[in-house]
């Protein structure tokens, strides 16, 4: 029978957490200090009643997120009226939201109902890689969507020539490539770090800032690369979004017709909402490298859990074309079911 080794850990409240020694040992001896091989994710409340409520809440949010983003992808793919650059980018945004929430939420749900709240160092680094890479890719896709809106509103006569299928595909592939390259560089540098003694992570998932705060190695080069990535990639895309919308606002204000203004602004309001939710929380999260602030959890939940839920709702509720496409898809589905029942009779 496998032995269990229990460790009492105090993070806001006293919690007793057991490591299964056959799978994850809390530490191994290296030289004059012990290097841990796993972390305890203790960012959520330890009260069992609160954990059950949080499990039900996050499970409900996760299921809604999965259904909303899958529905958005399906509608865009099947409805010919939505085969345009704007919705091409939106379908990739939905897929990224689906991936981002699936990387973090299932592990959170497992931790809420299980006594085993441990994750191996390798598993933690893998989760941090996918969170960082997918979030980075989403930032690039959002900036590509801003460029698309700029061309649609500021240069409508040249829109079809500029936003060709090849360019849209190239922007998406470049977004995926740069996002994962960025994540790979940062994670490879973090792979050789030693994590000593402090093995409690007051968080619900593994992210680079939290990992760098727990290591006993020199992380000056890691922080330099991380800050460089944020400045060059994230800030660069934010500047592109800012200048695109500065030109868009100028163009909208020059439109004399009130109807034209409202129509032009309605095509951008959904994207501005998505950018505000995601950029704000993600930037603040990665600019807070310490484990001392509870705002870490708030920002991480906002861009890993809330944004993937909000995006499909915003783009469907505030977009007449998407609502019309949803209506057509539901009507076709009901018609198909009716025909199947009639044929069986």
């Amino acid at each position: 029978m496998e032995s269990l080794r229990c460790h009492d850990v105090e993070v806001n409240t006293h919690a007793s957490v057991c490591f299964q020694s056959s799978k994850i040992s809390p530490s191994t001896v290296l030289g004059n200090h012990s290097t841990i091989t796993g972390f305890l994710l203790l960012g959520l409340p330890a009260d069992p009643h609160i954990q059950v409520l949080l499990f039900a809440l996050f499970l409900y949010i996760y299921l809604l997120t999965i259904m909303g983003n899958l529905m958005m992808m399906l509608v865009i793919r099947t409805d010919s009226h939505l085969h345009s650059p704007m919705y091409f980018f939106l379908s990739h945004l939905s897929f990224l939201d689906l991936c981002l929430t699936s990387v973090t939420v299932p592990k959170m749900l497992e931790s809420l109902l299980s006594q085993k709240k441990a994750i191996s160092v390798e598993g933690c680094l893998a989760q941090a890689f996918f969170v960082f890479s997918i979030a980075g890719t989403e930032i690039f896709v959002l900036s590509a969507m801003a460029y698309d809106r700029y061309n649609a509103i500021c240069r409508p006569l040249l829109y079809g020539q500029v936003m060709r299928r090849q360019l849209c595909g190239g922007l998406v592939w470049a977004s995926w490539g740069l996002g994962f390259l960025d994540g790979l560089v940062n994670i490879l540098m973090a792979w050789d770090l030693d994590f000593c003694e402090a093995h409690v992570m007051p968080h619900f998932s593994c992210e680079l800032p939290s990992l760098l705060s727990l290591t006993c190695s020199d992380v000056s080069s890691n922080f330099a690369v991380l800050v460089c990535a944020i400045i060059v990639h994230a800030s660069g895309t934010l500047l592109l979004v800012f200048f695109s919308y500065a030109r868009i606002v100028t163009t909208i204000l020059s439109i004399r017709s009130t109807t034209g203004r409202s129509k032009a602004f309605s095509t951008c309001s959904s994207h501005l909402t998505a950018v505000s939710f995601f950029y704000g929380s993600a930037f603040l999260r990665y600019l807070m490298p310490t484990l001392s602030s509870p705002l870490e959890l708030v920002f991480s939940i906002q861009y890993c859990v809330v944004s993937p839920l909000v995006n499909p709702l915003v783009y469907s509720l505030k977009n007449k074309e998407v609502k019309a496409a949803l209506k057509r898809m539901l009507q076709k589905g009901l018609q198909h079911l009716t025909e199947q029942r009639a044929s069986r009779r």
Side-chain angles (χ1 to χ4, degrees):
M1 186 173 180
E2 297 174 331
S3 60
L4 293 177
R5 192 177 302 172
C6 299
H7 298 265
D8 292 327
V9 181
E10 183 179 355
V11 179
N12 298 329
T13 58
H14 293 283
S16 177
V17 182
C18 297
F19 277 101
Q20 191 170 354
S21 60
S22 64
K23 293 183 179 179
I24 300 177
S25 58
S27 63
T28 56
V29 176
L30 260 181
N32 295 325
H33 64 272
S34 61
T35 302
I36 64 163
T37 57
F39 299 106
L40 298 179
L41 300 174
L42 301 180
L44 298 173
D47 187 289
H49 301 291
I50 297 178
Q51 286 187 344
V52 171
L53 291 174
L54 288 176
F55 176 85
L57 174 64
F58 285 118
L59 178 61
Y60 180 68
I61 291 174
Y62 181 59
L63 293 176
L64 283 180
T65 303
I66 296 294
M67 289 188 294
N69 284 288
L70 284 176
M71 183 69 72
M72 186 67 69
M73 292 166 61
L74 181 63
V75 169
I76 292 172
R77 185 172 181 82
T78 57
D79 196 296
S80 60
H81 296 86
L82 302 183
H83 291 174
S84 65
M86 174 182 172
Y87 296 107
F88 173 75
F89 291 125
L90 182 54
S91 65
H92 282 272
L93 181 66
S94 295
F95 180 70
L96 286 166
D97 284 335
L98 200 64
C99 294
L100 184 59
T101 192
S102 296
V103 168
T104 55
V105 176
K107 181 61 181 177
M108 184 204 307
L109 295 174
E110 179 193 352
S111 298
L112 284 170
L113 286 190
S114 173
Q115 289 294 325
K116 178 188 169 186
K117 303 181 186 298
I119 184 171
S120 66
V121 172
E122 291 79 10
C124 196
L125 285 166
Q127 187 181 51
F129 166 73
F130 284 110
V131 170
F132 192 84
S133 301
I134 295 169
T137 304
E138 186 158 339
I139 284 174
F140 286 114
V141 171
L142 286 170
S143 65
M145 292 174 73
Y147 178 68
D148 171 71
R149 291 299 84 204
Y150 159 73
N151 282 290
I153 295 174
C154 300
R155 302 195 297 173
L157 297 178
L158 299 175
Y159 180 72
Q161 299 177 19
V162 175
M163 300 304 296
R164 300 184 306 276
R165 182 187 294 269
Q166 294 85 349
L167 177 62
C168 295
L171 288 173
V172 168
W173 281 112
S175 299
W176 280 96
L178 290 172
F180 273 77
L181 178 64
D182 204 0
L184 185 63
V185 170
N186 280 275
I187 291 299
L188 286 178
M189 293 188 66
W191 196 266
D192 293 328
L193 296 176
D194 291 326
F195 299 94
C196 314
E197 298 178 1
H199 60 280
V200 176
M201 189 178 294
H203 209 284
F204 64 86
S205 66
C206 294
E207 295 183 46
L208 267 177
S210 302
L211 281 169
L212 297 182
S213 298
L214 289 177
T215 183
C216 54
S217 304
D218 179 23
V219 293
S220 56
S221 58
N222 297 76
F223 273 121
V225 172
L226 181 60
V227 171
C228 182
I230 293 173
I231 293 175
V232 174
H233 292 160
S235 300
T237 55
L238 184 62
L239 285 174
L240 177 60
V241 172
F242 176 78
F243 284 118
S244 294
Y245 274 98
R247 293 292 304 274
I248 288 171
V249 169
T250 304
T251 303
I252 290 175
L253 291 176
S254 65
I255 299 174
R256 295 180 179 181
S257 169
T258 306
T259 306
R261 286 185 184 180
S262 60
K263 184 178 180 180
F265 182 74
S266 66
T267 62
C268 302
S269 58
S270 300
H271 182 250
L272 278 174
T273 304
V275 168
S276 301
F277 259 88
F278 192 82
Y279 267 81
S281 55
F283 272 24
L284 290 171
R285 170 66 184 99
Y286 279 86
L287 291 175
M288 294 175 60
T290 65
L291 288 171
S292 58
S293 175
L295 288 176
E296 278 190 27
L297 289 174
V298 176
F299 294 140
S300 292
I301 288 173
Q302 183 170 328
Y303 84 86
C304 287
V305 181
V306 178
S307 287
L309 170 68
V310 170
N311 285 346
L313 294 175
V314 167
Y315 280 103
S316 60
L317 294 177
K318 300 184 71 174
N319 191 304
K320 293 180 181 179
E321 291 180 341
V322 174
K323 286 191 287 186
L326 277 170
K327 186 178 179 180
R328 285 192 295 268
M329 189 180 73
L330 291 174
Q331 287 175 345
K332 287 181 181 179
L334 291 173
Q335 184 179 357
H336 181 68
L337 288 174
T338 304
E339 290 175 353
Q340 278 190 335
R341 289 180 180 177
S343 63
R344 288 175 183 176
R345 293 176 184 177

